Amino acid sequence: LKSSKKGRKLLSLHSTLRSRGFLCVSNMLAVLSVDDFGGAASLFSTWNSLGTQLVQEKEEEMLDALSSCMRSVTARLCQDKQGKDVMNMTKNELEAIVNVGQACEVAEV
């Protein structure tokens, strides 16, 4: 896809769609309950998946969208009784997040 103009355009559109999707989820987290997302355990699993993607991502727009979504999930879980019970971060998870933040030049991340 990268070798043709149309392919590059398609990849760009796909990236924009992914980014906007993560920002949409961030907004939905503010108004929906933890149960609407499948419960605290499911939302924490989503948080872990977001973290994995965040560590692997290089594109600035996507880093911003992923970190925004991850912050929203964190806030939602911390507001919920069940969320507080499942939000058990390991030292390695916390270090990985800190390393991404330190290595990134994008202030929003």
PDB file of all heavy atoms in Angstrom, residues 25 28-47 72-87:
ATOM      1  N   VAL A  25     -14.170   7.125  22.038  1.00  0.00           N
ATOM      2  CA  VAL A  25     -14.290   6.285  23.233  1.00  0.00           C
ATOM      3  C   VAL A  25     -13.966   7.103  24.476  1.00  0.00           C
ATOM      4  O   VAL A  25     -14.624   6.983  25.501  1.00  0.00           O
ATOM      5  CB  VAL A  25     -13.389   5.029  23.129  1.00  0.00           C
ATOM      6  CG1 VAL A  25     -13.341   4.277  24.449  1.00  0.00           C
ATOM      7  CG2 VAL A  25     -13.886   4.115  22.021  1.00  0.00           C
ATOM      8  N   MET A  28     -17.012   9.003  25.322  1.00  0.00           N
ATOM      9  CA  MET A  28     -18.091   8.139  25.809  1.00  0.00           C
ATOM     10  C   MET A  28     -17.848   7.704  27.248  1.00  0.00           C
ATOM     11  O   MET A  28     -18.791   7.529  28.011  1.00  0.00           O
ATOM     12  CB  MET A  28     -18.248   6.912  24.909  1.00  0.00           C
ATOM     13  CG  MET A  28     -18.799   7.242  23.544  1.00  0.00           C
ATOM     14  SD  MET A  28     -19.219   5.817  22.492  1.00  0.00           S
ATOM     15  CE  MET A  28     -17.930   4.669  22.769  1.00  0.00           C
ATOM     16  N   LEU A  29     -16.586   7.549  27.622  1.00  0.00           N
ATOM     17  CA  LEU A  29     -16.264   7.133  28.992  1.00  0.00           C
ATOM     18  C   LEU A  29     -16.758   8.142  30.024  1.00  0.00           C
ATOM     19  O   LEU A  29     -17.039   7.773  31.161  1.00  0.00           O
ATOM     20  CB  LEU A  29     -14.757   6.922  29.140  1.00  0.00           C
ATOM     21  CG  LEU A  29     -14.270   5.584  28.599  1.00  0.00           C
ATOM     22  CD1 LEU A  29     -12.794   5.637  28.261  1.00  0.00           C
ATOM     23  CD2 LEU A  29     -14.548   4.481  29.607  1.00  0.00           C
ATOM     24  N   ALA A  30     -16.868   9.390  29.630  1.00  0.00           N
ATOM     25  CA  ALA A  30     -17.312  10.428  30.564  1.00  0.00           C
ATOM     26  C   ALA A  30     -18.801  10.334  30.874  1.00  0.00           C
ATOM     27  O   ALA A  30     -19.238  10.786  31.926  1.00  0.00           O
ATOM     28  CB  ALA A  30     -16.988  11.812  29.991  1.00  0.00           C
ATOM     29  N   VAL A  31     -19.568   9.710  29.986  1.00  0.00           N
ATOM     30  CA  VAL A  31     -21.020   9.718  30.165  1.00  0.00           C
ATOM     31  C   VAL A  31     -21.634   8.334  30.384  1.00  0.00           C
ATOM     32  O   VAL A  31     -22.787   8.246  30.812  1.00  0.00           O
ATOM     33  CB  VAL A  31     -21.734  10.423  28.991  1.00  0.00           C
ATOM     34  CG1 VAL A  31     -21.361  11.886  28.939  1.00  0.00           C
ATOM     35  CG2 VAL A  31     -21.431   9.751  27.664  1.00  0.00           C
ATOM     36  N   LEU A  32     -20.908   7.278  30.071  1.00  0.00           N
ATOM     37  CA  LEU A  32     -21.443   5.934  30.241  1.00  0.00           C
ATOM     38  C   LEU A  32     -20.892   5.298  31.507  1.00  0.00           C
ATOM     39  O   LEU A  32     -19.833   5.682  32.000  1.00  0.00           O
ATOM     40  CB  LEU A  32     -21.108   5.066  29.026  1.00  0.00           C
ATOM     41  CG  LEU A  32     -21.718   5.517  27.690  1.00  0.00           C
ATOM     42  CD1 LEU A  32     -21.205   4.646  26.558  1.00  0.00           C
ATOM     43  CD2 LEU A  32     -23.232   5.486  27.741  1.00  0.00           C
ATOM     44  N   SER A  33     -21.594   4.312  32.013  1.00  0.00           N
ATOM     45  CA  SER A  33     -21.147   3.630  33.225  1.00  0.00           C
ATOM     46  C   SER A  33     -20.103   2.564  32.883  1.00  0.00           C
ATOM     47  O   SER A  33     -19.974   2.144  31.736  1.00  0.00           O
ATOM     48  CB  SER A  33     -22.333   2.968  33.931  1.00  0.00           C
ATOM     49  OG  SER A  33     -22.774   1.839  33.199  1.00  0.00           O
ATOM     50  N   VAL A  34     -19.406   2.121  33.907  1.00  0.00           N
ATOM     51  CA  VAL A  34     -18.427   1.047  33.734  1.00  0.00           C
ATOM     52  C   VAL A  34     -19.123  -0.209  33.219  1.00  0.00           C
ATOM     53  O   VAL A  34     -18.595  -0.921  32.359  1.00  0.00           O
ATOM     54  CB  VAL A  34     -17.678   0.781  35.066  1.00  0.00           C
ATOM     55  CG1 VAL A  34     -16.833  -0.473  34.981  1.00  0.00           C
ATOM     56  CG2 VAL A  34     -16.818   1.982  35.435  1.00  0.00           C
ATOM     57  N   ASP A  35     -20.329  -0.465  33.695  1.00  0.00           N
ATOM     58  CA  ASP A  35     -21.089  -1.632  33.231  1.00  0.00           C
ATOM     59  C   ASP A  35     -21.417  -1.551  31.743  1.00  0.00           C
ATOM     60  O   ASP A  35     -21.507  -2.575  31.068  1.00  0.00           O
ATOM     61  CB  ASP A  35     -22.371  -1.802  34.044  1.00  0.00           C
ATOM     62  CG  ASP A  35     -22.087  -2.268  35.458  1.00  0.00           C
ATOM     63  OD1 ASP A  35     -21.033  -2.915  35.674  1.00  0.00           O
ATOM     64  OD2 ASP A  35     -22.905  -1.979  36.354  1.00  0.00           O
ATOM     65  N   ASP A  36     -21.611  -0.332  31.227  1.00  0.00           N
ATOM     66  CA  ASP A  36     -21.873  -0.164  29.797  1.00  0.00           C
ATOM     67  C   ASP A  36     -20.691  -0.628  28.950  1.00  0.00           C
ATOM     68  O   ASP A  36     -20.850  -0.940  27.770  1.00  0.00           O
ATOM     69  CB  ASP A  36     -22.189   1.298  29.465  1.00  0.00           C
ATOM     70  CG  ASP A  36     -23.528   1.743  30.018  1.00  0.00           C
ATOM     71  OD1 ASP A  36     -24.428   0.897  30.150  1.00  0.00           O
ATOM     72  OD2 ASP A  36     -23.673   2.948  30.327  1.00  0.00           O
ATOM     73  N   PHE A  37     -19.510  -0.667  29.547  1.00  0.00           N
ATOM     74  CA  PHE A  37     -18.309  -1.118  28.852  1.00  0.00           C
ATOM     75  C   PHE A  37     -17.962  -2.566  29.181  1.00  0.00           C
ATOM     76  O   PHE A  37     -16.862  -3.024  28.928  1.00  0.00           O
ATOM     77  CB  PHE A  37     -17.123  -0.200  29.177  1.00  0.00           C
ATOM     78  CG  PHE A  37     -17.235   1.154  28.528  1.00  0.00           C
ATOM     79  CD1 PHE A  37     -17.789   2.212  29.216  1.00  0.00           C
ATOM     80  CD2 PHE A  37     -16.807   1.341  27.232  1.00  0.00           C
ATOM     81  CE1 PHE A  37     -17.905   3.459  28.619  1.00  0.00           C
ATOM     82  CE2 PHE A  37     -16.918   2.579  26.622  1.00  0.00           C
ATOM     83  CZ  PHE A  37     -17.475   3.641  27.320  1.00  0.00           C
ATOM     84  N   GLY A  38     -18.893  -3.281  29.781  1.00  0.00           N
ATOM     85  CA  GLY A  38     -18.686  -4.695  30.076  1.00  0.00           C
ATOM     86  C   GLY A  38     -18.173  -4.978  31.470  1.00  0.00           C
ATOM     87  O   GLY A  38     -17.787  -6.103  31.772  1.00  0.00           O
ATOM     88  N   GLY A  39     -18.138  -3.969  32.323  1.00  0.00           N
ATOM     89  CA  GLY A  39     -17.681  -4.155  33.699  1.00  0.00           C
ATOM     90  C   GLY A  39     -16.244  -3.700  33.887  1.00  0.00           C
ATOM     91  O   GLY A  39     -15.509  -3.428  32.937  1.00  0.00           O
ATOM     92  N   ALA A  40     -15.846  -3.634  35.142  1.00  0.00           N
ATOM     93  CA  ALA A  40     -14.526  -3.120  35.493  1.00  0.00           C
ATOM     94  C   ALA A  40     -13.401  -3.994  34.942  1.00  0.00           C
ATOM     95  O   ALA A  40     -12.395  -3.479  34.447  1.00  0.00           O
ATOM     96  CB  ALA A  40     -14.410  -2.993  37.008  1.00  0.00           C
ATOM     97  N   ALA A  41     -13.563  -5.308  35.005  1.00  0.00           N
ATOM     98  CA  ALA A  41     -12.511  -6.201  34.511  1.00  0.00           C
ATOM     99  C   ALA A  41     -12.312  -6.032  33.006  1.00  0.00           C
ATOM    100  O   ALA A  41     -11.179  -5.996  32.518  1.00  0.00           O
ATOM    101  CB  ALA A  41     -12.841  -7.651  34.855  1.00  0.00           C
ATOM    102  N   SER A  42     -13.408  -5.893  32.280  1.00  0.00           N
ATOM    103  CA  SER A  42     -13.326  -5.696  30.837  1.00  0.00           C
ATOM    104  C   SER A  42     -12.681  -4.358  30.506  1.00  0.00           C
ATOM    105  O   SER A  42     -11.848  -4.260  29.597  1.00  0.00           O
ATOM    106  CB  SER A  42     -14.729  -5.762  30.234  1.00  0.00           C
ATOM    107  OG  SER A  42     -14.692  -5.513  28.854  1.00  0.00           O
ATOM    108  N   LEU A  43     -13.043  -3.328  31.246  1.00  0.00           N
ATOM    109  CA  LEU A  43     -12.474  -2.009  31.016  1.00  0.00           C
ATOM    110  C   LEU A  43     -10.987  -1.985  31.367  1.00  0.00           C
ATOM    111  O   LEU A  43     -10.184  -1.347  30.692  1.00  0.00           O
ATOM    112  CB  LEU A  43     -13.244  -0.958  31.823  1.00  0.00           C
ATOM    113  CG  LEU A  43     -13.166   0.482  31.352  1.00  0.00           C
ATOM    114  CD1 LEU A  43     -13.468   0.618  29.870  1.00  0.00           C
ATOM    115  CD2 LEU A  43     -14.103   1.350  32.163  1.00  0.00           C
ATOM    116  N   PHE A  44     -10.600  -2.718  32.405  1.00  0.00           N
ATOM    117  CA  PHE A  44      -9.177  -2.799  32.749  1.00  0.00           C
ATOM    118  C   PHE A  44      -8.413  -3.551  31.663  1.00  0.00           C
ATOM    119  O   PHE A  44      -7.273  -3.200  31.330  1.00  0.00           O
ATOM    120  CB  PHE A  44      -8.976  -3.473  34.104  1.00  0.00           C
ATOM    121  CG  PHE A  44      -7.539  -3.507  34.541  1.00  0.00           C
ATOM    122  CD1 PHE A  44      -6.864  -2.333  34.844  1.00  0.00           C
ATOM    123  CD2 PHE A  44      -6.860  -4.701  34.629  1.00  0.00           C
ATOM    124  CE1 PHE A  44      -5.536  -2.356  35.231  1.00  0.00           C
ATOM    125  CE2 PHE A  44      -5.530  -4.739  35.020  1.00  0.00           C
ATOM    126  CZ  PHE A  44      -4.864  -3.561  35.321  1.00  0.00           C
ATOM    127  N   SER A  45      -9.028  -4.564  31.071  1.00  0.00           N
ATOM    128  CA  SER A  45      -8.407  -5.274  29.957  1.00  0.00           C
ATOM    129  C   SER A  45      -8.202  -4.318  28.776  1.00  0.00           C
ATOM    130  O   SER A  45      -7.163  -4.353  28.107  1.00  0.00           O
ATOM    131  CB  SER A  45      -9.287  -6.457  29.545  1.00  0.00           C
ATOM    132  OG  SER A  45      -8.766  -7.096  28.418  1.00  0.00           O
ATOM    133  N   THR A  46      -9.181  -3.462  28.548  1.00  0.00           N
ATOM    134  CA  THR A  46      -9.057  -2.443  27.505  1.00  0.00           C
ATOM    135  C   THR A  46      -7.905  -1.503  27.823  1.00  0.00           C
ATOM    136  O   THR A  46      -7.119  -1.136  26.950  1.00  0.00           O
ATOM    137  CB  THR A  46     -10.373  -1.653  27.371  1.00  0.00           C
ATOM    138  OG1 THR A  46     -11.414  -2.553  27.004  1.00  0.00           O
ATOM    139  CG2 THR A  46     -10.263  -0.542  26.352  1.00  0.00           C
ATOM    140  N   TRP A  47      -7.794  -1.121  29.091  1.00  0.00           N
ATOM    141  CA  TRP A  47      -6.712  -0.246  29.535  1.00  0.00           C
ATOM    142  C   TRP A  47      -5.356  -0.888  29.236  1.00  0.00           C
ATOM    143  O   TRP A  47      -4.439  -0.224  28.736  1.00  0.00           O
ATOM    144  CB  TRP A  47      -6.863   0.039  31.030  1.00  0.00           C
ATOM    145  CG  TRP A  47      -5.857   0.975  31.593  1.00  0.00           C
ATOM    146  CD1 TRP A  47      -5.954   2.334  31.636  1.00  0.00           C
ATOM    147  CD2 TRP A  47      -4.609   0.633  32.208  1.00  0.00           C
ATOM    148  NE1 TRP A  47      -4.826   2.853  32.242  1.00  0.00           N
ATOM    149  CE2 TRP A  47      -3.996   1.828  32.594  1.00  0.00           C
ATOM    150  CE3 TRP A  47      -3.972  -0.576  32.463  1.00  0.00           C
ATOM    151  CZ2 TRP A  47      -2.763   1.854  33.229  1.00  0.00           C
ATOM    152  CZ3 TRP A  47      -2.737  -0.547  33.086  1.00  0.00           C
ATOM    153  CH2 TRP A  47      -2.151   0.661  33.462  1.00  0.00           C
ATOM    154  N   SER A  72      -8.744   8.542  30.096  1.00  0.00           N
ATOM    155  CA  SER A  72     -10.184   8.470  30.349  1.00  0.00           C
ATOM    156  C   SER A  72     -10.578   7.153  31.006  1.00  0.00           C
ATOM    157  O   SER A  72     -11.400   7.120  31.917  1.00  0.00           O
ATOM    158  CB  SER A  72     -10.962   8.650  29.045  1.00  0.00           C
ATOM    159  OG  SER A  72     -10.761   9.937  28.523  1.00  0.00           O
ATOM    160  N   VAL A  73      -9.991   6.058  30.539  1.00  0.00           N
ATOM    161  CA  VAL A  73     -10.268   4.749  31.148  1.00  0.00           C
ATOM    162  C   VAL A  73      -9.779   4.747  32.595  1.00  0.00           C
ATOM    163  O   VAL A  73     -10.480   4.275  33.502  1.00  0.00           O
ATOM    164  CB  VAL A  73      -9.615   3.596  30.349  1.00  0.00           C
ATOM    165  CG1 VAL A  73      -9.730   2.278  31.101  1.00  0.00           C
ATOM    166  CG2 VAL A  73     -10.255   3.464  28.973  1.00  0.00           C
ATOM    167  N   THR A  74      -8.589   5.290  32.821  1.00  0.00           N
ATOM    168  CA  THR A  74      -8.040   5.353  34.180  1.00  0.00           C
ATOM    169  C   THR A  74      -8.966   6.140  35.096  1.00  0.00           C
ATOM    170  O   THR A  74      -9.297   5.694  36.203  1.00  0.00           O
ATOM    171  CB  THR A  74      -6.641   6.014  34.170  1.00  0.00           C
ATOM    172  OG1 THR A  74      -5.782   5.266  33.317  1.00  0.00           O
ATOM    173  CG2 THR A  74      -6.056   6.063  35.564  1.00  0.00           C
ATOM    174  N   ALA A  75      -9.399   7.314  34.642  1.00  0.00           N
ATOM    175  CA  ALA A  75     -10.288   8.148  35.451  1.00  0.00           C
ATOM    176  C   ALA A  75     -11.600   7.429  35.744  1.00  0.00           C
ATOM    177  O   ALA A  75     -12.099   7.457  36.877  1.00  0.00           O
ATOM    178  CB  ALA A  75     -10.557   9.474  34.732  1.00  0.00           C
ATOM    179  N   ARG A  76     -12.155   6.767  34.731  1.00  0.00           N
ATOM    180  CA  ARG A  76     -13.439   6.075  34.898  1.00  0.00           C
ATOM    181  C   ARG A  76     -13.309   4.928  35.892  1.00  0.00           C
ATOM    182  O   ARG A  76     -14.170   4.726  36.745  1.00  0.00           O
ATOM    183  CB  ARG A  76     -13.930   5.543  33.540  1.00  0.00           C
ATOM    184  CG  ARG A  76     -15.372   5.172  33.563  1.00  0.00           C
ATOM    185  CD  ARG A  76     -16.204   6.453  33.681  1.00  0.00           C
ATOM    186  NE  ARG A  76     -17.573   6.133  33.845  1.00  0.00           N
ATOM    187  CZ  ARG A  76     -18.258   6.329  34.977  1.00  0.00           C
ATOM    188  NH1 ARG A  76     -17.685   6.867  36.020  1.00  0.00           N
ATOM    189  NH2 ARG A  76     -19.522   6.015  35.049  1.00  0.00           N
ATOM    190  N   LEU A  77     -12.225   4.160  35.778  1.00  0.00           N
ATOM    191  CA  LEU A  77     -12.021   3.047  36.704  1.00  0.00           C
ATOM    192  C   LEU A  77     -11.783   3.547  38.131  1.00  0.00           C
ATOM    193  O   LEU A  77     -12.261   2.936  39.086  1.00  0.00           O
ATOM    194  CB  LEU A  77     -10.842   2.183  36.257  1.00  0.00           C
ATOM    195  CG  LEU A  77     -11.110   1.250  35.084  1.00  0.00           C
ATOM    196  CD1 LEU A  77      -9.824   0.604  34.600  1.00  0.00           C
ATOM    197  CD2 LEU A  77     -12.140   0.187  35.450  1.00  0.00           C
ATOM    198  N   CYS A  78     -11.073   4.638  38.271  1.00  0.00           N
ATOM    199  CA  CYS A  78     -10.792   5.171  39.610  1.00  0.00           C
ATOM    200  C   CYS A  78     -12.036   5.752  40.274  1.00  0.00           C
ATOM    201  O   CYS A  78     -12.098   5.847  41.498  1.00  0.00           O
ATOM    202  CB  CYS A  78      -9.687   6.217  39.542  1.00  0.00           C
ATOM    203  SG  CYS A  78      -8.069   5.503  39.199  1.00  0.00           S
ATOM    204  N   GLN A  79     -13.034   6.126  39.492  1.00  0.00           N
ATOM    205  CA  GLN A  79     -14.285   6.652  40.023  1.00  0.00           C
ATOM    206  C   GLN A  79     -15.242   5.546  40.454  1.00  0.00           C
ATOM    207  O   GLN A  79     -16.212   5.799  41.149  1.00  0.00           O
ATOM    208  CB  GLN A  79     -14.996   7.524  38.979  1.00  0.00           C
ATOM    209  CG  GLN A  79     -14.264   8.779  38.620  1.00  0.00           C
ATOM    210  CD  GLN A  79     -14.864   9.459  37.397  1.00  0.00           C
ATOM    211  OE1 GLN A  79     -15.772   8.940  36.742  1.00  0.00           O
ATOM    212  NE2 GLN A  79     -14.347  10.628  37.067  1.00  0.00           N
ATOM    213  N   ASP A  80     -14.980   4.344  40.029  1.00  0.00           N
ATOM    214  CA  ASP A  80     -15.889   3.225  40.244  1.00  0.00           C
ATOM    215  C   ASP A  80     -15.349   2.297  41.336  1.00  0.00           C
ATOM    216  O   ASP A  80     -14.162   1.997  41.379  1.00  0.00           O
ATOM    217  CB  ASP A  80     -16.028   2.438  38.930  1.00  0.00           C
ATOM    218  CG  ASP A  80     -17.077   1.361  38.994  1.00  0.00           C
ATOM    219  OD1 ASP A  80     -18.269   1.694  38.882  1.00  0.00           O
ATOM    220  OD2 ASP A  80     -16.693   0.187  39.160  1.00  0.00           O
ATOM    221  N   LYS A  81     -16.232   1.820  42.206  1.00  0.00           N
ATOM    222  CA  LYS A  81     -15.824   0.927  43.296  1.00  0.00           C
ATOM    223  C   LYS A  81     -15.153  -0.330  42.761  1.00  0.00           C
ATOM    224  O   LYS A  81     -14.077  -0.717  43.194  1.00  0.00           O
ATOM    225  CB  LYS A  81     -17.056   0.569  44.145  1.00  0.00           C
ATOM    226  CG  LYS A  81     -16.871  -0.589  45.107  1.00  0.00           C
ATOM    227  CD  LYS A  81     -16.105  -0.195  46.361  1.00  0.00           C
ATOM    228  CE  LYS A  81     -16.090  -1.305  47.375  1.00  0.00           C
ATOM    229  NZ  LYS A  81     -14.900  -2.118  47.349  1.00  0.00           N
ATOM    230  N   GLN A  82     -15.801  -0.990  41.798  1.00  0.00           N
ATOM    231  CA  GLN A  82     -15.221  -2.199  41.215  1.00  0.00           C
ATOM    232  C   GLN A  82     -13.939  -1.882  40.453  1.00  0.00           C
ATOM    233  O   GLN A  82     -13.011  -2.672  40.418  1.00  0.00           O
ATOM    234  CB  GLN A  82     -16.213  -2.879  40.275  1.00  0.00           C
ATOM    235  CG  GLN A  82     -17.389  -3.495  40.971  1.00  0.00           C
ATOM    236  CD  GLN A  82     -18.353  -4.104  39.959  1.00  0.00           C
ATOM    237  OE1 GLN A  82     -18.428  -3.676  38.813  1.00  0.00           O
ATOM    238  NE2 GLN A  82     -19.092  -5.105  40.395  1.00  0.00           N
ATOM    239  N   GLY A  83     -13.893  -0.705  39.854  1.00  0.00           N
ATOM    240  CA  GLY A  83     -12.710  -0.297  39.103  1.00  0.00           C
ATOM    241  C   GLY A  83     -11.499  -0.175  39.990  1.00  0.00           C
ATOM    242  O   GLY A  83     -10.384  -0.555  39.608  1.00  0.00           O
ATOM    243  N   LYS A  84     -11.704   0.350  41.181  1.00  0.00           N
ATOM    244  CA  LYS A  84     -10.592   0.480  42.120  1.00  0.00           C
ATOM    245  C   LYS A  84     -10.048  -0.888  42.515  1.00  0.00           C
ATOM    246  O   LYS A  84      -8.857  -1.042  42.778  1.00  0.00           O
ATOM    247  CB  LYS A  84     -11.036   1.243  43.363  1.00  0.00           C
ATOM    248  CG  LYS A  84     -11.318   2.703  43.099  1.00  0.00           C
ATOM    249  CD  LYS A  84     -11.838   3.404  44.339  1.00  0.00           C
ATOM    250  CE  LYS A  84     -12.238   4.823  44.022  1.00  0.00           C
ATOM    251  NZ  LYS A  84     -12.831   5.511  45.163  1.00  0.00           N
ATOM    252  N   ASP A  85     -10.914  -1.887  42.534  1.00  0.00           N
ATOM    253  CA  ASP A  85     -10.497  -3.237  42.903  1.00  0.00           C
ATOM    254  C   ASP A  85      -9.661  -3.912  41.811  1.00  0.00           C
ATOM    255  O   ASP A  85      -8.802  -4.731  42.107  1.00  0.00           O
ATOM    256  CB  ASP A  85     -11.711  -4.115  43.221  1.00  0.00           C
ATOM    257  CG  ASP A  85     -12.456  -3.637  44.465  1.00  0.00           C
ATOM    258  OD1 ASP A  85     -11.860  -2.936  45.299  1.00  0.00           O
ATOM    259  OD2 ASP A  85     -13.653  -3.980  44.588  1.00  0.00           O
ATOM    260  N   VAL A  86      -9.927  -3.591  40.548  1.00  0.00           N
ATOM    261  CA  VAL A  86      -9.205  -4.253  39.452  1.00  0.00           C
ATOM    262  C   VAL A  86      -8.033  -3.423  38.928  1.00  0.00           C
ATOM    263  O   VAL A  86      -7.190  -3.946  38.210  1.00  0.00           O
ATOM    264  CB  VAL A  86     -10.130  -4.603  38.259  1.00  0.00           C
ATOM    265  CG1 VAL A  86     -11.202  -5.563  38.676  1.00  0.00           C
ATOM    266  CG2 VAL A  86     -10.682  -3.383  37.593  1.00  0.00           C
ATOM    267  N   MET A  87      -7.965  -2.169  39.294  1.00  0.00           N
ATOM    268  CA  MET A  87      -6.909  -1.282  38.777  1.00  0.00           C
ATOM    269  C   MET A  87      -5.611  -1.520  39.546  1.00  0.00           C
ATOM    270  O   MET A  87      -5.159  -0.701  40.317  1.00  0.00           O
ATOM    271  CB  MET A  87      -7.358   0.179  38.887  1.00  0.00           C
ATOM    272  CG  MET A  87      -6.496   1.166  38.177  1.00  0.00           C
ATOM    273  SD  MET A  87      -6.694   1.000  36.405  1.00  0.00           S
ATOM    274  CE  MET A  87      -5.612   2.278  35.867  1.00  0.00           C
TER     275      MET A  87
END
